[in-house]
Every structure is written in structure tokens, then in C-alpha cells.
Amino acid sequence: VISHNPAAKGRTVTDRDYYKSLRTATDDQLFIAAVEEGRVTGKPHFRITRRLNYPDGSFGGLVLATINPDAFSRYYRDLTAGSQNVASLLGTKDRKLRARSPAPPIEHWNEPVDSPIWDMLKKASSGQYENTSQIDKIHRLFVYQQVGQLPLVMVTGFSDDNLQQGV
């Protein structure tokens, strides 16, 4: 139920990954869904969800917060100087983008990110590595930090050109 939007009346999310996962979950975990097009807005966004239980422990529904990746992009675009700097928020379980500045082409939202970061995260929750972006093919120095206990990692990349301009 989306109480503030009459256009949502009668819509269902029972086929969405977050609903299926939380319906059968036995623990109290957040589920951070991949970016997908909203059924009401038609715009790309991701959801952070948590299961609700009835007093007997059975599934009672879920709480859902919708996050617009464009808000992330605008925020980091204003913070990062340099035309080739990037900032990305990645899901650590499915290895997909949740947000990126600059925003990627639409087809990249649902592609797992192929990056050395996954091996790096096994060693440390923060660090750095070099890689060529699969999205724009620019070679960068990347720094990363896992976001607390959430299944998310924040990654910022700086190209050689931008680093030299800064120096």
C-alpha cells in the first residue's frame, strides 16, 4: 500500500525479488534490491526493504523505502571535481550498481560489475585498486569503503588526467 499515491492502488510487488526473498526469510535482514523501473513512476530506482512479522512470526508484509539513483548522482557530481571522476554505490551480494555519478546507460544497471573490488573486499573493508571501468573504459585509481554492516560498498574513481590536473 502506497498511501500517498492513488496511482499505486491495485498494484502488486509479489513478483519482485525483494518480496520473494523477504516472504520466505527467517531472519531480520535488510534487502537492498537491484535498480529497476518503478511500476508507478516508470523511473529507475532501488528499494531498501525489511520484513514485517505478525506476533506469531508469520509474514505480515514489508516496509519499503524507494531510493532514486539520480539523487545520488547529483550529490556526487557536485562534490567531485574533474570530468572523469566517478562515484558508485554497489551491492555486495549481487555485485550490481545501486547508484553512480555520472549515471550509466540504462543497460548497465542490471549487469554485475566485473571488478577487482570483489577480491579486495575479501581482504579488507576499505582500500584501493586500479582498474579500467567496464562502463566508460577509462582507467582509474579507485578507493572503496564498505558501508557499515550493510551489503553495500562505496567506490570512488579518479583518472590519471584528473589526478594530474589536481596536482
Side-chain angles (χ1 to χ4, degrees), residues 100-129:
R100 185 179 189 272
S101 177
I106 194 75
E107 64 271 10
H108 285 285
W109 285 116
N110 283 312
E111 292 179 0
V113 174
D114 181 23
S115 168
I117 191 168
W118 311 119
D119 289 331
M120 299 298 292
L121 276 171
K122 292 175 187 174
K123 300 173 190 171
S125 61
S126 64
Q128 66 184 36
Y129 62 93

Side-chain angles (χ1 to χ4, degrees), residues 103-158:
I106 194 75
E107 64 271 10
H108 285 285
W109 285 116
N110 283 312
E111 292 179 0
V113 174
D114 181 23
S115 168
I117 191 168
W118 311 119
D119 289 331
M120 299 298 292
L121 276 171
K122 292 175 187 174
K123 300 173 190 171
S125 61
S126 64
Q128 66 184 36
Y129 62 93
E130 287 187 48
N131 193 34
T132 300
S133 168
Q134 73 187 66
I135 293 174
D136 59 20
K137 311 301 183 221
I138 295 173
H139 189 81
R140 294 182 176 91
L141 170 67
F142 290 92
V143 292
Y144 70 92
Q145 173 70 50
Q146 185 143 10
V147 181
Q149 300 300 312
L150 297 174
L152 297 170
V153 62
M154 181 68 207
V155 181
T156 306
F158 307 92

Side-chain angles (χ1 to χ4, degrees), residues 12-26:
T12 181
V13 296
T14 57
D15 64 322
R16 300 284 196 173
D17 288 345
Y18 57 88
Y19 183 90
K20 291 177 185 178
S21 177
L22 293 175
R23 177 135 179 86
T24 59
T26 57

Side-chain angles (χ1 to χ4, degrees), residues 22 25-32 49-51 93 149 151:
L22 293 175
T26 57
D27 55 357
D28 183 23
Q29 294 291 319
L30 287 178
F31 187 95
I32 302 174
T49 56
R50 175 166 259 153
R51 177 186 166 110
K93 291 183 179 179
Q149 300 300 312

